[in-house]
């Protein structure tokens, strides 16, 4: 089979880590007899430099006519002082919206080989943890009305959080289905003691949950959830939450896995076409040095194989290669604690050898 993948390398370490992932995909293609064709498009700061805006129409069209999309990262200090609507990050929000990717899956699990990297006490993570964060991705405060106005105290800025019942229902359904396939436990995270959107969220999640009697659903306030994630992460199976809470909690979850350089993500909508990217950013401080950890991006490709192409064996082949590279003690700089480490290209070679 031939698969057309739009490649949005982006800024900072984006080109290095996507280059790794493309090489791993090509090796998987060779092994299993598939052709993965990557077509590059500009996004983020590099697009601003070329055209004056972060998300060119050709990029949107390229993504919409592809079978799937791989993204590196966008942004950097060079573009940090631009106005909000032409910042690199705006392109990321734009492409998520244009592709109608309302679901963001962010798995966070503790690799046995990386137990020592987890900042939590040993007894807390003795049994490991394996969490799937289901983050709503095209609604909430990220996409609500915003602006500047004259307020009671003079000039003020505002952003608004709005969630329709429909948006909550569809993300709840994905989360419930995910929980049904996994441990049967769903925690819905909100701030229902303060926010009206959260009260509708909570009510709607429970309504949809009636269709899934096999899933145990509980609610948790987001401040408590932030605490519980470090107190006892093993209590979580699937988490469902809003766009902004999911953004924050997934970074927190990544830290307890040892490194943010390990966490992949899949953004999905109503079709098989998804957008796959590491949850970390463009790390401008280490860009171009060949020391970034490409594993989150490589694992994002494994998610693509599974969710967009239904290639389960191929996906597992990548996941298991990464497992064995870590078991064998190979580490990139972020996980080496000052000891010897492999470069981005070297660890990529190791993963390819293990496929
Ligand atoms: C993420 C990022 C983005 C987000 C930014 C870069 C817009 O932090 O994917 O988690 O907040 O969604
Ligand atoms: Mn984030």
């Amino acid at each position: 089979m031939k698969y057309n993948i739009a490649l949005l390398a982006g800024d900072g370490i984006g080109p290095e880590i996507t280059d790794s992932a493309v090489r791993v995909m090509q090796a998987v293609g060779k092994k299993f007899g598939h052709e993965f064709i990557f077509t590059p498009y500009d996004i983020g700061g590099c697009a601003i430099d070329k055209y004056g805006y972060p998300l060119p129409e050709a990029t949107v069209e390229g993504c919409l006519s592809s079978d799937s999309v791989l993204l590196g990262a966008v942004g950097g200090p060079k573009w940090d002082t631009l106005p909000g609507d032409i910042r690199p990050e705006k392109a990321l929000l734009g492409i998520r919206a244009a592709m109608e990717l309302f679901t963001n899956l962010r798995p966070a699990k503790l690799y046995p080989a990386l137990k020592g990297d987890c900042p939590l006490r040993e007894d807390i993570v003795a049994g490991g943890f394996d969490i799937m964060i289901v983050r709503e991705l095209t609604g909430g405060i990220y996409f609500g009305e915003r602006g500047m106005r004259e307020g009671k105290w003079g000039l003020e800025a505002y952003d608004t959080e709005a969630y329709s019942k429909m948006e909550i229902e569809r993300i709840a359904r994905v989360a419930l289905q995910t929980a049904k396939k996994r441990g049967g436990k769903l925690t819905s995270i909100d701030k229902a003691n303060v926010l009206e959107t959260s009260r509708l969220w909570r009510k709607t999640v429970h309504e949809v949950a009636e269709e899934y009697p096999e899933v145990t659903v509980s609610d948790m306030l987001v401040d408590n959830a932030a605490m519980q994630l470090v107190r006892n992460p093993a209590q979580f199976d699937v988490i469902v939450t809003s766009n902004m809470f999911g953004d924050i909690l997934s970074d927190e979850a990544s830290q307890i896995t040892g490194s943010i350089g390990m966490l992949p993500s899949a953004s999905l909508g109503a079709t098989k076409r998804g957008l796959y990217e590491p949850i970390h950013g463009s790390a401008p401080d280490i860009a171009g040095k060949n020391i970034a950890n490409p594993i989150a991006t490589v694992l994002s490709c494994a998610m693509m194989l599974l969710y967009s192409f239904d290639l389960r064996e191929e996906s597992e082949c990548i996941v298991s290669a990464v497992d064995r590279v870590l078991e064998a003690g190979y580490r990139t700089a972020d996980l080496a604690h000052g000891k010897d480490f492999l470069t981005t290209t070297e660890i990529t070679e190791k993963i390819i050898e293990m496929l």
Side-chain angles (χ1 to χ4, degrees):
M1 269 286 274
K2 267 192 189 172
Y3 299 91
N4 289 305
I5 303 166
L7 177 61
L8 316 184
D11 311 315
I13 57 170
E16 300 159 59
I17 53 177
T18 49
D19 190 60
S20 274
V22 168
R23 282 169 46 215
V24 172
M25 284 289 270
Q26 275 157 354
V28 171
K30 206 166 159 199
K31 179 172 160 123
F32 290 89
H34 308 297
E35 207 180 331
F36 299 112
I37 303 158
F38 288 89
T39 310
Y41 295 96
D42 296 308
I43 192 166
C46 58
I48 297 175
D49 289 349
K50 272 199 202 167
Y51 318 99
Y53 42 89
L55 185 60
E57 196 48 43
T59 301
V60 177
E61 276 164 24
C63 291
L64 290 175
S65 60
S66 69
D67 297 317
S68 209
V69 182
L70 178 66
L71 185 135
V74 297
K78 187 177 171 190
W79 308 283
D80 267 352
T81 48
L82 290 172
D85 53 338
I86 52 166
R87 284 180 63 105
E89 291 80 1
K90 184 78 188 173
L92 196 48
L93 303 184
I95 195 68
R96 288 170 181 170
M99 294 174 69
E100 298 178 60
L101 306 171
F102 62 87
T103 302
N104 187 213
L105 302 179
R106 298 191 159 187
K109 68 169 186 177
L110 186 62
Y111 286 81
L114 297 184
K115 251 187 192 162
D117 294 277
C118 175
L120 301 183
R121 235 177 32 229
E122 223 179 298
D123 59 303
I124 296 179
V125 288
F129 59 83
D130 182 350
I131 306 170
M132 178 66 90
I133 299 179
V134 181
R135 170 188 176 193
E136 199 290 327
L137 201 60
T138 51
I141 198 164
Y142 274 61
F143 291 91
E145 201 189 314
R146 74 181 90 246
M148 307 281 268
R149 65 189 170 200
E150 270 316 301
K152 196 172 156 198
W153 311 103
L155 180 70
E156 65 180 23
Y158 65 98
D159 299 272
T160 37
E161 165 110 341
Y163 266 115
S164 64
K165 206 167 159 59
M166 181 283 284
E167 290 174 296
I168 304 168
E169 278 167 2
R170 66 181 181 184
I171 193 71
R173 205 155 269 131
V174 174
L176 285 154
Q177 274 156 11
T178 307
K180 186 175 160 179
K181 287 192 214 135
R182 290 175 41 112
K185 195 172 160 198
L186 177 66
T187 311
S188 173
I189 295 173
D190 62 35
K191 188 71 185 173
N193 51 349
V194 178
L195 304 177
E196 201 59 37
T197 40
S198 281
R199 287 189 275 270
L200 181 63
W201 181 281
R202 196 175 270 214
K203 181 168 169 276
T204 307
V205 167
H206 285 279
E207 281 168 16
V208 180
E210 281 174 27
E211 299 163 29
Y212 299 83
E214 54 282 88
V215 179
T216 312
V217 182
S218 58
D219 305 293
M220 194 178 278
L221 295 171
V222 64
D223 48 351
N224 183 27
M227 182 171 75
Q228 295 300 332
L229 263 176
V230 292
R231 202 185 70 89
N232 176 18
Q235 72 184 283
F236 296 106
D237 173 16
V238 179
I239 284 174
V240 65
T241 193
S242 65
N243 204 342
M244 186 154 76
F245 293 162
D247 178 45
I248 299 167
L249 293 175
S250 59
D251 268 32
E252 187 188 359
S254 78
Q255 267 318 288
I256 60 170
T257 69
S259 172
I260 194 167
M262 295 292 301
L263 264 66
S265 81
S267 302
L268 307 166
T271 70
K272 282 273 172 192
R273 185 186 311 112
L275 181 146
Y276 299 82
E277 57 174 319
I279 84 153
H280 62 70
S282 59
D285 52 323
I286 59 163
K289 296 187 177 156
N290 195 26
I291 57 170
N293 182 352
I295 292 181
T297 316
V298 169
L299 291 174
S300 297
C301 285
M303 292 187 88
M304 179 191 293
L305 292 171
L306 184 62
Y307 292 103
S308 280
F309 305 153
D310 290 315
L311 299 174
R312 180 171 290 274
E313 200 187 332
E314 291 81 342
S315 173
E316 276 165 10
C317 175
I318 294 184
V319 173
S320 128
V322 168
D323 275 347
R324 278 174 289 124
V325 164
L326 295 173
E327 290 295 343
Y330 298 115
R331 298 287 185 273
T332 38
D334 52 321
L335 292 167
H337 308 291
K339 297 201 202 85
D340 280 350
F341 60 84
L342 296 190
T343 61
T344 311
T345 40
E346 283 166 346
I347 199 130
T348 307
E349 288 308 320
K350 290 291 172 207
I351 297 169
I352 291 172
E353 273 169 35
M354 299 272 190
L355 285 173

PDB file of all heavy atoms in Angstrom, residues 89 92-93 96 106 135 137 142 243 247 251 277 279, ligand 1:
ATOM      1  N   GLU A  89       2.423  29.654  16.825  1.00  0.00           N
ATOM      2  CA  GLU A  89       1.463  28.794  17.523  1.00  0.00           C
ATOM      3  C   GLU A  89       0.069  28.883  16.901  1.00  0.00           C
ATOM      4  O   GLU A  89      -0.713  27.945  16.957  1.00  0.00           O
ATOM      5  CB  GLU A  89       1.371  29.189  19.011  1.00  0.00           C
ATOM      6  CG  GLU A  89       2.619  28.880  19.823  1.00  0.00           C
ATOM      7  CD  GLU A  89       3.743  29.908  19.666  1.00  0.00           C
ATOM      8  OE1 GLU A  89       3.565  30.901  18.918  1.00  0.00           O
ATOM      9  OE2 GLU A  89       4.805  29.714  20.289  1.00  0.00           O
ATOM     10  N   LEU A  92      -0.589  26.184  14.470  1.00  0.00           N
ATOM     11  CA  LEU A  92      -0.924  24.889  15.052  1.00  0.00           C
ATOM     12  C   LEU A  92      -2.418  24.831  15.358  1.00  0.00           C
ATOM     13  O   LEU A  92      -3.107  23.862  15.024  1.00  0.00           O
ATOM     14  CB  LEU A  92      -0.095  24.723  16.333  1.00  0.00           C
ATOM     15  CG  LEU A  92       0.033  23.346  16.931  1.00  0.00           C
ATOM     16  CD1 LEU A  92       0.408  22.335  15.872  1.00  0.00           C
ATOM     17  CD2 LEU A  92       1.082  23.363  18.037  1.00  0.00           C
ATOM     18  N   LEU A  93      -2.926  25.899  15.946  1.00  0.00           N
ATOM     19  CA  LEU A  93      -4.354  25.960  16.245  1.00  0.00           C
ATOM     20  C   LEU A  93      -5.143  25.962  14.942  1.00  0.00           C
ATOM     21  O   LEU A  93      -6.188  25.323  14.822  1.00  0.00           O
ATOM     22  CB  LEU A  93      -4.683  27.208  17.072  1.00  0.00           C
ATOM     23  CG  LEU A  93      -3.921  27.354  18.399  1.00  0.00           C
ATOM     24  CD1 LEU A  93      -4.420  28.573  19.168  1.00  0.00           C
ATOM     25  CD2 LEU A  93      -4.068  26.112  19.250  1.00  0.00           C
ATOM     26  N   ARG A  96      -5.220  22.443  13.359  1.00  0.00           N
ATOM     27  CA  ARG A  96      -6.129  21.571  14.136  1.00  0.00           C
ATOM     28  C   ARG A  96      -7.580  21.894  13.799  1.00  0.00           C
ATOM     29  O   ARG A  96      -8.410  21.003  13.623  1.00  0.00           O
ATOM     30  CB  ARG A  96      -5.902  21.780  15.642  1.00  0.00           C
ATOM     31  CG  ARG A  96      -4.593  21.204  16.163  1.00  0.00           C
ATOM     32  CD  ARG A  96      -4.328  21.654  17.603  1.00  0.00           C
ATOM     33  NE  ARG A  96      -3.068  21.140  18.099  1.00  0.00           N
ATOM     34  CZ  ARG A  96      -2.509  21.524  19.241  1.00  0.00           C
ATOM     35  NH1 ARG A  96      -3.099  22.439  20.006  1.00  0.00           N
ATOM     36  NH2 ARG A  96      -1.361  21.013  19.632  1.00  0.00           N
ATOM     37  N   ARG A 106      -3.165  11.726  24.338  1.00  0.00           N
ATOM     38  CA  ARG A 106      -1.807  11.883  24.856  1.00  0.00           C
ATOM     39  C   ARG A 106      -1.512  10.798  25.895  1.00  0.00           C
ATOM     40  O   ARG A 106      -1.817  10.951  27.072  1.00  0.00           O
ATOM     41  CB  ARG A 106      -1.639  13.281  25.473  1.00  0.00           C
ATOM     42  CG  ARG A 106      -1.829  14.369  24.430  1.00  0.00           C
ATOM     43  CD  ARG A 106      -1.428  15.735  24.921  1.00  0.00           C
ATOM     44  NE  ARG A 106      -1.162  16.596  23.769  1.00  0.00           N
ATOM     45  CZ  ARG A 106      -0.670  17.819  23.837  1.00  0.00           C
ATOM     46  NH1 ARG A 106      -0.368  18.348  24.987  1.00  0.00           N
ATOM     47  NH2 ARG A 106      -0.457  18.514  22.736  1.00  0.00           N
ATOM     48  N   ARG A 135      -7.764  14.896  25.408  1.00  0.00           N
ATOM     49  CA  ARG A 135      -7.907  16.344  25.521  1.00  0.00           C
ATOM     50  C   ARG A 135      -8.801  16.859  24.395  1.00  0.00           C
ATOM     51  O   ARG A 135      -8.556  16.533  23.225  1.00  0.00           O
ATOM     52  CB  ARG A 135      -6.506  16.970  25.417  1.00  0.00           C
ATOM     53  CG  ARG A 135      -6.490  18.471  25.271  1.00  0.00           C
ATOM     54  CD  ARG A 135      -5.069  18.984  24.976  1.00  0.00           C
ATOM     55  NE  ARG A 135      -5.076  20.417  24.750  1.00  0.00           N
ATOM     56  CZ  ARG A 135      -4.045  21.098  24.229  1.00  0.00           C
ATOM     57  NH1 ARG A 135      -2.940  20.469  23.871  1.00  0.00           N
ATOM     58  NH2 ARG A 135      -4.145  22.391  24.047  1.00  0.00           N
ATOM     59  N   LEU A 137      -9.749  19.409  21.663  1.00  0.00           N
ATOM     60  CA  LEU A 137      -8.696  20.169  20.995  1.00  0.00           C
ATOM     61  C   LEU A 137      -9.153  21.335  20.119  1.00  0.00           C
ATOM     62  O   LEU A 137      -8.331  22.130  19.689  1.00  0.00           O
ATOM     63  CB  LEU A 137      -7.851  19.195  20.144  1.00  0.00           C
ATOM     64  CG  LEU A 137      -6.444  19.645  19.773  1.00  0.00           C
ATOM     65  CD1 LEU A 137      -5.579  19.895  20.999  1.00  0.00           C
ATOM     66  CD2 LEU A 137      -5.755  18.650  18.847  1.00  0.00           C
ATOM     67  N   TYR A 142      -9.216  28.295  24.014  1.00  0.00           N
ATOM     68  CA  TYR A 142      -8.286  28.455  22.897  1.00  0.00           C
ATOM     69  C   TYR A 142      -8.967  29.080  21.689  1.00  0.00           C
ATOM     70  O   TYR A 142      -8.319  29.701  20.860  1.00  0.00           O
ATOM     71  CB  TYR A 142      -7.728  27.087  22.471  1.00  0.00           C
ATOM     72  CG  TYR A 142      -6.516  26.629  23.242  1.00  0.00           C
ATOM     73  CD1 TYR A 142      -6.558  26.426  24.613  1.00  0.00           C
ATOM     74  CD2 TYR A 142      -5.320  26.374  22.582  1.00  0.00           C
ATOM     75  CE1 TYR A 142      -5.453  25.992  25.307  1.00  0.00           C
ATOM     76  CE2 TYR A 142      -4.208  25.930  23.266  1.00  0.00           C
ATOM     77  CZ  TYR A 142      -4.279  25.739  24.631  1.00  0.00           C
ATOM     78  OH  TYR A 142      -3.177  25.308  25.307  1.00  0.00           O
ATOM     79  N   ASN A 243      -9.708  21.636  26.563  1.00  0.00           N
ATOM     80  CA  ASN A 243      -8.511  21.998  25.815  1.00  0.00           C
ATOM     81  C   ASN A 243      -7.398  22.516  26.733  1.00  0.00           C
ATOM     82  O   ASN A 243      -6.273  21.987  26.727  1.00  0.00           O
ATOM     83  CB  ASN A 243      -8.912  23.063  24.777  1.00  0.00           C
ATOM     84  CG  ASN A 243      -7.972  23.105  23.591  1.00  0.00           C
ATOM     85  OD1 ASN A 243      -6.852  22.602  23.642  1.00  0.00           O
ATOM     86  ND2 ASN A 243      -8.423  23.708  22.508  1.00  0.00           N
ATOM     87  N   ASP A 247      -4.008  20.610  28.126  1.00  0.00           N
ATOM     88  CA  ASP A 247      -2.677  21.131  27.785  1.00  0.00           C
ATOM     89  C   ASP A 247      -1.779  21.094  29.015  1.00  0.00           C
ATOM     90  O   ASP A 247      -0.654  20.586  28.983  1.00  0.00           O
ATOM     91  CB  ASP A 247      -2.810  22.563  27.261  1.00  0.00           C
ATOM     92  CG  ASP A 247      -1.467  23.184  26.922  1.00  0.00           C
ATOM     93  OD1 ASP A 247      -0.647  22.494  26.286  1.00  0.00           O
ATOM     94  OD2 ASP A 247      -1.229  24.339  27.298  1.00  0.00           O
ATOM     95  N   ASP A 251       1.419  18.140  30.158  1.00  0.00           N
ATOM     96  CA  ASP A 251       2.819  18.481  30.442  1.00  0.00           C
ATOM     97  C   ASP A 251       3.226  17.941  31.809  1.00  0.00           C
ATOM     98  O   ASP A 251       4.324  17.419  31.987  1.00  0.00           O
ATOM     99  CB  ASP A 251       3.045  20.005  30.416  1.00  0.00           C
ATOM    100  CG  ASP A 251       3.476  20.507  29.040  1.00  0.00           C
ATOM    101  OD1 ASP A 251       3.044  19.905  28.038  1.00  0.00           O
ATOM    102  OD2 ASP A 251       4.241  21.486  28.973  1.00  0.00           O
ATOM    103  N   GLU A 277       2.026  14.396  16.452  1.00  0.00           N
ATOM    104  CA  GLU A 277       3.137  15.267  16.838  1.00  0.00           C
ATOM    105  C   GLU A 277       3.576  14.936  18.254  1.00  0.00           C
ATOM    106  O   GLU A 277       2.789  14.457  19.068  1.00  0.00           O
ATOM    107  CB  GLU A 277       2.706  16.740  16.755  1.00  0.00           C
ATOM    108  CG  GLU A 277       1.494  17.044  17.617  1.00  0.00           C
ATOM    109  CD  GLU A 277       1.119  18.530  17.683  1.00  0.00           C
ATOM    110  OE1 GLU A 277       2.021  19.358  17.786  1.00  0.00           O
ATOM    111  OE2 GLU A 277      -0.086  18.816  17.656  1.00  0.00           O
ATOM    112  N   ILE A 279       4.437  15.894  22.087  1.00  0.00           N
ATOM    113  CA  ILE A 279       3.753  16.931  22.873  1.00  0.00           C
ATOM    114  C   ILE A 279       4.708  18.064  23.247  1.00  0.00           C
ATOM    115  O   ILE A 279       4.297  19.117  23.695  1.00  0.00           O
ATOM    116  CB  ILE A 279       3.016  16.394  24.134  1.00  0.00           C
ATOM    117  CG1 ILE A 279       3.951  16.241  25.334  1.00  0.00           C
ATOM    118  CG2 ILE A 279       2.273  15.106  23.883  1.00  0.00           C
ATOM    119  CD1 ILE A 279       3.190  16.373  26.641  1.00  0.00           C
TER     120      ILE A 279
HETATM  121  C1  LIG B   1       0.600  21.688  22.808  1.00  0.00           C
HETATM  122  C2  LIG B   1       1.178  23.082  22.739  1.00  0.00           C
HETATM  123  C3  LIG B   1       0.191  23.965  22.002  1.00  0.00           C
HETATM  124  C4  LIG B   1      -1.110  23.950  22.750  1.00  0.00           C
HETATM  125  C5  LIG B   1       0.671  25.412  21.766  1.00  0.00           C
HETATM  126  C6  LIG B   1       2.027  25.456  21.119  1.00  0.00           C
HETATM  127  C7  LIG B   1      -0.326  26.203  20.988  1.00  0.00           C
HETATM  128  O1  LIG B   1       1.477  23.556  24.000  1.00  0.00           O
HETATM  129  O2  LIG B   1       0.377  21.083  21.753  1.00  0.00           O
HETATM  130  O3  LIG B   1       0.393  21.193  23.918  1.00  0.00           O
HETATM  131  O4  LIG B   1      -1.263  24.671  23.736  1.00  0.00           O
HETATM  132  O5  LIG B   1      -1.994  23.195  22.365  1.00  0.00           O
END
